[in-house]
Amino acid sequence: MTTSADTHCPYCALQCAMTLTSPSGLAPASQPGPVPVPAPPVLDTRTTASPALGAPLEVQGRDFPTNRGGLCRKGWTSPSLLNHAGRITEPLLKGPDGVHRPISWDHALDLVVAAVKDARARYGADAVGVFGGGGLTNEKAYMLGKFARLALGTSRIDYNGRFCMSSAAAAGMRAFGVDRGLPFPLESLDSASTILMLGSNVAETMPPFVQHLKGTRDAGGLIVVDPRRSATAAFTADGGGLHLQPLPGTDLALLLGISHVVIHENLVDTSYLEERTSGYGAVARSVNSFWPERVQSLTGVPAELIRETARRLAAGAREGGSYILTGRGVEQHVDGTDTATAAINLSLLLGLPGSARSGYGTLTGQGNGQGGREHGQKADQLPGYRKITDPAARAHVAGVWGVPEELIPGPGLPAVQLLQSLGQPDGVRCLFVHASNIAVASPDANAVIQGLRSLDFLMVCDFFMSETAAEADLILPVLQWAEEEGTLTNLEGRVLRRRRALAPPPGARSELWIMARLAEALNAPSTYSEDPEAVFEELRLASAGGLADYSGIDYAMLDRGEAAYWPYPAGSTGTPRLFQDAFAHADGKAVMVPVTPRRRRTPAASPDPAAKTMTLITGRLLEHYQSGAQTRRVPELLAAQPEAAAQIHPAAAASMGITEGALVSVANERGEVVCRAQLSNAIRPETVFLPFHFPELESANRLTEAATDPISGMPEFKFNTVWVRPVAVPLPTNMLQTTEAS
């Protein structure tokens, strides 16, 4: 006898639909409640770097509007982690010798409560911090925000989405009054004649997405902006469209140049601008000095390509539809909000947002990157995408929680500042980490690791010994995706059901259970349910009337397969396509904001005269996801990409005497990465590319700067000066192998 459950992939925000089939003896739980038996065998949590014990589930792609039955390599192999030998199945406490050993749940919870009480008594409530993640379900993200603010009493909560979507979110809020990654269904792209995609390599980060680009590519209308000839940029070959290959960090100037052409060649949608926007005059003046030839000198993109891009976008808007899509490549900068704003301004000049067949959107990265930022993990937000400084918002949420409004703390610190405060006299001394591997994923990772080591107490919830968990005083074992119920919100703003297909190991617990037990021990006000559906019902109430209103959505409708795009107020049918009638500002108009490039600081000189100064860009590989804490444990994926490689142009490599596969040092004042060289004509000669999935000596974020966008708090991930040189003496092989932390 076999049973199956329809659910969604645990990785990116495309949230591909899949069916998990469970063999007899591993019966799934169809409803939240007691763990069914028999369960998988308890695994030795101290075993590391071991192969999977055999996937307990079979996976099949399921027909769904986003993936249409397709899955990428990560999705196909996702069940192999559920029964992995390195799975943590008991709470682990680090001893004086640095070794983690199993303890009981009662002991673990007592330690957490004692650490919280000690930090609050000695330093105040804000000495306790919480770092969440965009992989948490909506229910857990919501409860984590409530738990931090009421049970812990702290304002110090933020999450790893600050490193992902914050610039696009800030730009969307400023322009439209609301932030939803794609304010239209993904299927809308199928009929577009022109798509401008900036800073996103969907062919590798979410491969099933590319089928939505086929019609545009066949029409020759796909325009990709990327300093590398990525797999997505390669789709523009053979008449598929255009590849614009700017210098890193010049995307803002490029967008201003395209806007200049739209205005000066009278390609603007004048009636749309008059009826639906404000601020056009200031924007028009701000782009006057960005004529194509000047922009060519700034970006390296030929002036004629700049003109051709503007003309194709305008023609598409008049004929079959045009879309402008942005990704992390143009947003993960200290001017990321302004760059996303420039893309929005361009889309407004052409009349795209709110059109029936055109639009602007940003591509959410993490699995629940959209829902995770809507319901309280961000330092400045309350559920429903409400501002924590808004008295009406505070009163509404306090009413749902049944507490006095003054119990809800004010705004906290965005992620980079939160991490910089670790162990400092007035900073966080006791930190909780959920669904995030900050030791690998954070900018200036060496400094972050030192901050973790300076804490009085670090608790990490995880199912593997990630690099962050290895630093923890206490690790609490939690459920994996196929072992839990809940909801997530995909890149379209569509709320989806996650269904449990497998019994978890007996020692693992849901974060909802953990928070409920800790809240009880801390005598916290309000209630904390461990039932996901009960938590979602509370989330509905808390979000009601907010920008991200989920009040009209419930589990029953999702289980029936109904499409649920927020905002979905009670009594409505949801909003698949935003802005058709009005934008979310009081006057119903979109706000155009003039932006201009800022001068970047002069980089430090290399201490080694033999090293070549280059610009580092970072990104993802097809086989890996985020910090690699999961995908580096999948044998098939690790075999395909076992280590980081520095992609360098052959001409640049030749000038340094670097050959294919040779060891290279990529360094700056923050740290050093040593890895093998991969020579490729797909990258500009001035740049070097590193994937950010690998730890230790191959960790790209040793080199990235913790400087942040003043509006969004986004760190500078995509433009960092480095010094590249060959490594004269080969390092021991074991220093270059990617292994699980122990």
Side-chain angles (χ1 to χ4, degrees):
M1 175 184 175
T2 60
T3 55
S4 63
D6 289 341
T7 189
H8 294 265
C9 179
Y11 291 116
C12 80
L14 194 59
Q15 283 296 286
C16 294
M18 58 170 56
T19 297
L20 300 177
T21 302
S22 173
S24 177
L26 294 174
S30 59
Q31 297 294 329
V35 174
V37 293
V42 178
L43 304 177
D44 182 356
T45 59
R46 289 160 289 186
T47 300
T48 59
S50 300
L53 296 180
L57 298 175
E58 294 180 359
V59 61
Q60 291 180 307
R62 182 161 56 90
D63 188 41
F64 197 71
T66 53
N67 64 306
R68 293 171 178 155
L71 298 173
C72 74
R73 296 183 70 179
K74 294 185 288 290
W76 286 119
T77 57
S78 56
S80 68
L81 293 175
L82 295 167
N83 210 22
H84 192 279
R87 178 74 182 270
I88 299 174
T89 60
E90 300 174 271
L92 300 177
L93 178 66
K94 182 182 285 187
D97 58 358
V99 176
H100 287 93
R101 295 181 175 86
I103 61 172
S104 71
W105 269 104
D106 286 344
H107 186 191
L109 297 178
D110 287 345
L111 289 173
V112 176
V113 171
V116 169
K117 290 181 176 179
D118 179 66
R120 293 196 304 201
R122 295 171 63 189
Y123 307 108
D126 279 350
V128 182
V130 177
F131 200 96
L136 295 174
T137 62
N138 288 318
E139 293 79 1
K140 292 190 289 187
Y142 166 80
M143 190 58 74
L144 190 62
K146 177 181 178 180
F147 173 80
R149 294 182 172 98
L150 295 189
L152 301 179
T154 184
S155 69
R156 299 305 196 246
I157 176 172
D158 211 69
Y159 81 128
N160 64 11
R162 184 74 64 175
F163 301 156
C164 181
M165 296 300 303
S166 59
S167 290
M173 291 294 290
R174 186 163 68 175
F176 305 132
V178 67
D179 154 45
R180 197 178 91 186
L182 294 185
F184 48 80
L186 185 57
E187 289 181 298
S188 301
L189 298 178
D190 294 344
S191 58
S193 60
T194 308
I195 297 175
L196 172 62
M197 182 172 288
L198 303 111
S200 182
N201 183 16
V202 291
E204 293 196 82
T205 60
M206 46 181 72
F209 185 105
V210 300
Q211 60 194 308
H212 299 286
L213 304 177
K214 184 180 184 302
T216 304
R217 188 209 176 280
D218 290 346
L222 180 62
I223 307 171
V224 176
V225 177
D226 198 310
R228 297 191 302 144
R229 191 169 67 250
S230 65
T232 306
F235 287 156
T236 65
D238 302 322
L242 304 174
H243 175 207
L244 280 55
Q245 200 168 3
L247 287 163
T250 63
D251 304 289
L252 177 50
L254 177 62
L255 285 161
L256 297 178
I258 299 170
S259 295
H260 180 282
V261 175
V262 169
I263 292 171
H264 288 267
E265 293 192 4
N266 298 315
L267 302 176
V268 299
D269 187 332
T270 53
S271 60
Y272 178 96
L273 288 173
E274 182 177 344
E275 295 170 9
R276 305 210 58 189
T277 72
S278 64
Y280 167 69
V283 168
R285 290 189 294 273
S286 71
V287 303
N288 272 339
S289 60
F290 289 89
W291 60 91
E293 284 72 20
R294 181 184 177 224
V295 172
Q296 174 179 314
S297 71
L298 297 172
T299 66
V301 176
E304 278 312 304
L305 279 184
I306 296 170
R307 292 189 173 93
E308 180 68 12
T309 298
R311 293 165 186 164
R312 290 194 185 197
L313 285 167
R318 294 191 302 267
E319 298 162 8
S322 283
Y323 287 85
I324 297 175
L325 305 175
T326 63
R328 305 300 82 73
V330 298
E331 297 163 5
Q332 287 180 321
H333 295 282
V334 292
D335 59 358
T337 301
D338 285 351
T339 304
T341 296
I344 292 172
N345 286 342
L346 174 59
S347 73
L348 292 169
L349 289 172
L350 296 165
L352 309 185
S355 164
R357 59 182 188 178
S358 296
Y360 162 83
T362 184
L363 301 177
T364 305
Q366 295 188 80
N368 198 29
Q370 182 70 63
R373 68 182 184 267
E374 295 167 359
H375 299 302
Q377 287 192 93
K378 290 181 75 174
D380 56 351
Q381 281 185 194
L382 291 172
Y385 224 132
R386 288 181 159 90
K387 293 181 179 179
I388 201 167
T389 54
D390 178 0
R394 294 173 62 86
H396 172 84
V397 173
V400 174
W401 289 350
V403 300
E405 180 271 329
E406 57 269 20
L407 277 187
I408 301 175
L413 298 175
V416 170
Q417 285 74 24
L418 176 63
L419 295 177
Q420 288 174 334
S421 80
L422 299 184
Q424 299 301 307
D426 296 322
V428 169
R429 308 300 293 257
C430 171
L431 181 67
F432 292 24
V433 178
H434 297 257
S436 188
N437 189 11
I438 52 180
V440 176
S442 303
D444 198 2
N446 286 338
V448 170
I449 292 170
Q450 290 304 312
L452 294 174
R453 292 173 179 172
S454 69
L455 290 166
D456 296 341
F457 187 80
L458 172 61
M459 185 206 79
V460 173
C461 286
D462 212 328
F463 33 79
F464 291 123
M465 184 67 77
S466 70
E467 289 71 27
T468 304
E471 301 292 338
D473 297 290
L474 179 66
I475 308 167
L476 300 183
V478 294
L479 307 186
Q480 290 197 62
W481 60 289
E483 301 162 351
E484 66 180 3
E485 296 280 332
T487 63
L488 299 98
T489 306
N490 77 350
L491 77 174
E492 312 164 292
R494 177 172 175 159
V495 183
L496 308 169
R497 274 282 277 123
R498 172 173 283 180
R499 295 178 179 87
R500 183 156 64 178
L502 182 70
R509 298 287 187 272
S510 167
E511 284 97 335
L512 294 179
W513 182 92
I514 293 169
M515 286 184 275
R517 300 288 82 74
L518 290 175
E520 180 181 15
L522 290 165
N523 296 314
S526 195
T527 59
Y528 302 83
S529 176
E530 61 189 85
D531 180 347
E533 187 169 6
V535 174
F536 190 81
E537 288 299 305
E538 184 178 310
L539 182 158
R540 292 175 63 194
L541 297 175
S543 71
L547 291 171
D549 189 333
Y550 283 31
S551 61
I553 305 171
D554 59 34
Y555 274 31
M557 64 177 292
L558 296 177
D559 287 339
R560 291 192 298 268
E562 296 181 28
Y565 296 88
W566 72 261
Y568 203 125
S572 76
T573 57
T575 316
R577 202 171 187 95
L578 283 168
F579 313 139
Q580 289 186 300
D581 300 317
F583 295 97
H585 292 298
D587 61 1
K589 292 187 174 184
V591 178
M592 301 183 73
V593 179
V595 291
T596 190
R598 285 173 283 165
R599 186 184 300 275
R600 296 181 183 271
R601 70 176 182 85
T602 302
S606 170
D608 182 355
K612 185 179 182 67
T613 300
M614 304 180 78
T615 298
L616 169 68
I617 52 179
T618 65
R620 299 178 182 177
L621 301 175
L622 171 66
E623 292 82 4
H624 291 296
Y625 178 72
Q626 298 297 86
S627 73
Q630 296 176 72
T631 52
R632 284 185 276 113
R633 288 171 165 83
V634 177
E636 300 95 318
L637 301 180
L638 186 62
Q641 293 286 353
E643 61 183 14
Q647 190 178 82
I648 306 172
H649 192 278
S655 70
M656 293 180 279
I658 294 171
T659 58
E660 177 72 25
L663 292 177
V664 295
S665 165
V666 184
N668 58 21
E669 63 269 36
R670 289 176 291 279
E672 180 179 28
V673 168
V674 176
C675 59
R676 303 192 188 278
Q678 179 188 76
L679 307 191
S680 173
N681 288 311
I683 193 167
R684 293 186 62 103
E686 314 91 343
T687 61
V688 57
F689 171 84
L690 285 173
F692 54 66
H693 311 294
F694 298 91
E696 301 171 357
L697 198 59
E698 295 178 317
S699 175
N701 281 320
R702 287 176 171 230
L703 310 174
T704 53
E705 188 177 7
T708 57
D709 183 302
I711 301 170
S712 67
M714 171 69 79
E716 181 62 83
F717 281 117
K718 301 298 189 188
F719 184 89
N720 289 273
T721 299
V722 292
W723 315 312
V724 181
R725 63 176 177 83
V727 174
V729 180
L731 296 175
T733 303
N734 62 6
M735 291 187 68
L736 293 169
Q737 290 177 340
T738 301
T739 60
E740 297 184 2
S742 58

